[in-house]
Amino acid sequence: MSVDSVFVHKMWNDHELSRMVDGGVPFPMLSDGGGRVGSVYGVYDPDAGVEMRGRFIIDPDGVIQGYEVLTPPVGRNVGETIRQIQAFQHVRASKGTEATPSGWRPGKLTLKPGPGLVGKVWEVWKPSMESEENP
Amino acid sequence: MPEEIKAGCARPTGGPVGEKPVEAPPVLAGERKEAQVMIKVGAKAPDFTAPAYFKGTFVQVKLSDYLGKWVVLCFYPGDFTFV
């Protein structure tokens, strides 16, 4: 979503993005003229008249689970977004009984918060496990 | 699920739908309107409609049509902005 019109979105897709991705952009490219939606989400910069690089993860109930906002010159990390969605999906499937430690990936150790785990996380998880899990 | 819209000379628009977001307290005359409020994690994503380009067609997208699915909503400064 950006403040550009759908006509400019089409030109960008047809002339550039479809040359990076076979078949072109596979999801709707949304137009937010005037930044009205971006204002509600807190990412519209009225001085510049554009939206910042904001990314929101919204769950099946329509609840915002996470967001990230970057200034224009730095691009996002799609792999990290997917990792976060996988973690939110895992937690949701566990009905909130499990939590995913930092850098968690599917299949890796999760934590089951409770009185017995207080002060004992060091016995089962160390920061080195994150780097092992993310070579 | 998005509805197709006709491409005319009027630029299609969208915007927030449903309940109005909480208005910021009135700003005193001469005081610059500062610091828009960031929405919170764990809060409902504000619903909206927006025109979109999608695989060769122009459509009208409504966020709440995607309830039941995981959604990634990305904002960016503009088309052709390099990164």
Side-chain angles (χ1 to χ4, degrees), chain A residues 56-66 84-93, chain B residues 43-45 63-72:
Chain A
F56 297 80
I57 295 174
I58 302 169
D59 77 10
D61 296 322
V63 171
I64 297 168
Q65 292 294 344
Q84 289 181 18
I85 294 170
Q86 289 170 329
F88 284 123
Q89 288 177 334
H90 186 97
V91 169
R92 184 180 172 92
Chain B
K44 275 269 191 225
L63 179 65
S64 53
D65 286 344
Y66 291 83
L67 284 171
K69 294 182 174 188
W70 287 85
V71 172
V72 177

Side-chain angles (χ1 to χ4, degrees), chain A residues 1-4 8-9 12 26 29 31 36 40-41 44 47 51 53-56 58 60-62 64 67 76 89, chain B residues 11 14 32 36 38-39 42-46 51-54 68 70-80 83:
Chain A
M1 172 172 273
S2 75
V3 297
D4 299 281
V8 184
H9 284 343
W12 191 27
M29 300 171 73
S31 171
R36 292 169 62 212
V40 173
Y41 278 78
Y44 179 68
D47 293 333
E51 286 163 342
R53 242 174 251 292
R55 180 232 63 190
F56 297 80
I58 302 169
D61 296 322
I64 297 168
Y67 60 75
R76 329 169 204 266
Q89 288 177 334
Chain B
R11 185 168 149 165
R32 201 164 145 16
Q36 58 183 327
M38 196 68 204
I39 53 181
K44 275 269 191 225
Y53 175 71
F54 181 48
W70 287 85
V71 172
V72 177
L73 174 63
C74 284
F75 294 86
Y76 58 96
D79 294 343
F80 299 101
V83 301

Side-chain angles (χ1 to χ4, degrees), chain A residues 95-126:
Chain A
K95 302 199 184 305
T97 60
E98 295 180 38
T100 61
S102 96
W104 180 87
R105 295 206 172 257
K108 298 296 179 185
L109 173 104
T110 60
L111 301 175
K112 295 182 179 60
L117 190 62
V118 177
K120 299 277 178 65
V121 173
W122 65 274
E123 290 180 2
V124 292
W125 189 86
K126 292 182 168 51

